[in-house]
Amino acid sequence: MNSPALPAVAAAAATRGLVEISDVHKSFGQVEVLRGVSLTVEPGEVVVILGPSGSGKSTLLRTINHLEKVDAGHISVDGELVGYKARGGRLHELREKEILAQRTHIGMVFQNFNLFPHLTAVENIIEAPVYAQHRPHAQARARALELLERVGLSDKVDVYPRQLSGGQQQRVAIARALALDPKIVLFDEPTSALDPELVGEVLDVIRSLADSGTTLIVVTHEMGFARDVADRVVFMDQGQIVEEGTPLQIFGAPQHERTKAFLSKVIEPAFNL
C-alpha cells in the first residue's frame, strides 16, 4: 500500500474529543469497503452509525483507532493524525509503540467483550492503565473500583468473566475502556452478542456516558437507543455515508430512498418519535 498523501492538517484542537474523518478509503482485496467517507464528530457529541450488514460501519470504526489501516484519506483526533506522521510531504505509518500510545486515548468496546478470561473483573480494568500508561497499581485499582460501581458491578470485583452474564461482561468491558480516560469511546455493536433481556442494562450504561459529555461513536442496530440518545444519526450503505441528521430527521423524515427502505424493514410499525 502506498503511503496516503499528506493532508493539510489543522492545528491541534483546543477541545477534547474532536474526530475528523477525511475522504477515507479502505479495500480488502478487490472489495472496496469504504469509499471516500468523511465525517466530523464534535467534542461531546453522540453519533450513532446505522446501516445494513456489510455497509462498512465496523470497518470505519476500526480505522479510527488504526486497527484497520486506511488506503487513502486520513483521520485525526484533536488535530493529531491517527496512525501516521508527516515526513517529507507524505504520511508515514507510526511505529507500533506509538500507535499503541495513541490507542490509549481512544476507548473501544467490542461485540464480544474481549475480556481476559484468566483475570478478574477488577484485574481486567487495571491491566491497561498499569502496563500501557504506567500508572501506580494502587491508583489504577482505586479508579477501577470507582468504574465498577459506576457500571453497577461493585459486587463483582473479584469475579472472573466466566462467572458473569453477557451483560455484566460487557459492562466490565465498558469500565475497562473508561479506565484509560479516553478522549472518545467507540462502540462496535455492543449489544449484538447479548440475550434480549440483557440489552437494556448495557444501553443504560452507554446512556449515562452520553449524559456525562463523553464523545461517543456507536455502531448499533438498536433503533430506540439511536432515537433517544444520539445527537446525530449517520446512515451508511455500500461503504458510503448516504444520509445524516438528527434522530428526528432520520427517523421522522428520511430523505434518501435507501434510508427509507432500510428503516422500513428494521422499525416496527408501532415505532414512534
Side-chain angles (χ1 to χ4, degrees), residues 55-63 68 108 111 188-189 219:
S55 60
K57 308 182 302 295
S58 292
T59 299
L60 178 63
L61 212 63
R62 290 169 66 86
T63 63
E68 297 290 353
M108 186 158 186
Q111 297 180 39
D188 187 8
E189 302 200 22
V219 169

Side-chain angles (χ1 to χ4, degrees), residues 46-48 109 150-151 170-171 174 178 185-191 194 199-214 216-220 222 225 229:
V46 180
V47 171
V48 172
V109 179
R150 181 175 179 180
V151 300
Q170 192 62 295
R171 284 187 278 157
I174 293 171
L178 295 177
V185 183
L186 313 174
F187 291 89
D188 187 8
E189 302 200 22
T191 60
L194 300 178
V199 169
E201 66 187 63
V202 172
L203 293 181
D204 285 344
V205 172
I206 302 175
R207 283 189 178 93
S208 73
L209 286 181
D211 292 339
S212 73
T214 305
L216 306 180
I217 305 176
V218 186
V219 169
T220 185
E222 297 292 337
F225 172 83
V229 179

Side-chain angles (χ1 to χ4, degrees), residues 41-245:
V41 180
E42 299 294 338
E45 189 177 18
V46 180
V47 171
V48 172
I49 303 177
L50 306 177
S53 297
S55 60
K57 308 182 302 295
S58 292
T59 299
L60 178 63
L61 212 63
R62 290 169 66 86
T63 63
I64 296 173
N65 65 358
H66 206 64
L67 285 174
E68 297 290 353
K69 303 175 185 179
V70 301
D71 296 333
H74 65 279
I75 297 168
S76 66
V77 174
D78 287 348
E80 179 183 356
L81 290 168
V82 175
Y84 297 94
K85 62 182 175 183
R87 188 174 67 239
R90 302 288 294 178
L91 293 182
H92 299 268
E93 191 172 15
L94 297 174
R95 294 176 297 174
E96 185 64 21
K97 184 178 180 180
E98 295 170 307
I99 293 170
L100 291 174
Q102 283 191 333
R103 286 191 188 131
T104 64
H105 301 297
I106 305 172
M108 186 158 186
V109 179
F110 299 88
Q111 297 180 39
N112 295 311
F113 325 137
N114 287 7
L115 297 177
F116 296 113
H118 62 290
L119 299 180
T120 63
V122 71
E123 288 169 344
N124 264 281
I125 298 169
I126 289 171
E127 184 84 358
V130 169
Y131 294 103
Q133 294 182 329
H134 309 295
R135 295 187 194 176
H137 188 276
Q139 181 190 93
R141 181 178 173 84
R143 175 63 172 154
L145 295 177
E146 290 176 4
L147 289 168
L148 282 171
E149 182 174 3
R150 181 175 179 180
V151 300
L153 294 174
S154 56
D155 60 336
K156 303 295 183 183
V157 172
D158 297 314
V159 172
Y160 289 91
R162 66 180 179 275
Q163 299 169 299
L164 298 171
S165 70
Q168 290 170 335
Q169 290 185 59
Q170 192 62 295
R171 284 187 278 157
V172 172
I174 293 171
R176 180 179 61 180
L178 295 177
L180 293 168
D181 191 27
K183 296 178 178 181
I184 61 174
V185 183
L186 313 174
F187 291 89
D188 187 8
E189 302 200 22
T191 60
S192 64
L194 300 178
D195 292 332
E197 65 269 23
L198 301 178
V199 169
E201 66 187 63
V202 172
L203 293 181
D204 285 344
V205 172
I206 302 175
R207 283 189 178 93
S208 73
L209 286 181
D211 292 339
S212 73
T214 305
T215 303
L216 306 180
I217 305 176
V218 186
V219 169
T220 185
H221 291 295
E222 297 292 337
M223 299 297 141
F225 172 83
R227 175 199 62 187
D228 296 340
V229 179
D231 296 308
R232 187 156 40 116
V233 176
V234 173
F235 176 69
M236 289 186 66
D237 189 37
Q238 297 183 357
Q240 296 179 307
I241 292 176
V242 174
E243 187 170 353
E244 61 180 286

